Amino acid sequence: MDHGFKIAHREALIGVGLAIVHFVWWFGFAYGLGSRPVEEYTYILGFPDWFFYSCIIGFILVSVTVIILAKFVLKDVSFEEEGDEL
C-alpha cells in the first residue's frame, strides 16, 4: 500500500473517531440532562442546560478540535501519480 494511502486511512480513522466522540458528547448531555422534568431544568444564557452543553459547547469543542487537528496532526498528501504529467 502506498504511503499516502496509509496516511489517508489514519486520518479517516481520526475523523470517524472525532465524529463518534462528538455524538457521544451530544447524546450524553442531550438525553442525560434532558430527561428530567421541564420544571427541574436550569438555564444558561437562556438555554436549557442540556441544550447548552450538548449543542453549543459540544459544537465549539468539536470545531476547535478540528482546527487543531487540521493545523498540527493532518498532513497535506498528494495522490497524483509521479509519472503522470499533463
Side-chain angles (χ1 to χ4, degrees):
M1 185 186 286
D2 186 57
H3 181 67
F5 288 103
K6 287 182 183 178
I7 292 172
H9 183 72
R10 180 183 69 90
E11 292 179 355
L13 290 175
I14 290 171
V16 169
L18 182 61
I20 290 170
V21 167
H22 182 229
F23 178 77
V24 169
W25 174 282
W26 172 83
F27 189 86
F29 278 106
Y31 287 98
L33 293 177
S35 61
R36 298 173 300 184
V38 175
E39 297 79 24
E40 295 179 15
Y41 285 176
T42 57
Y43 293 86
I44 302 170
L45 299 176
F47 297 104
D49 57 353
W50 64 266
F51 181 85
F52 182 79
Y53 291 121
S54 66
C55 296
I56 296 173
I57 297 298
F59 172 76
I60 292 169
L61 286 176
V62 168
S63 297
V64 169
T65 304
V66 167
I67 291 168
I68 291 170
L69 285 173
K71 227 174 199 352
F72 300 110
V73 176
L74 305 180
K75 299 179 185 333
D76 188 18
V77 177
S78 174
F79 288 102
E80 295 181 10
E81 298 285 334
E82 290 182 14
D84 290 348
E85 296 193 22
L86 299 174

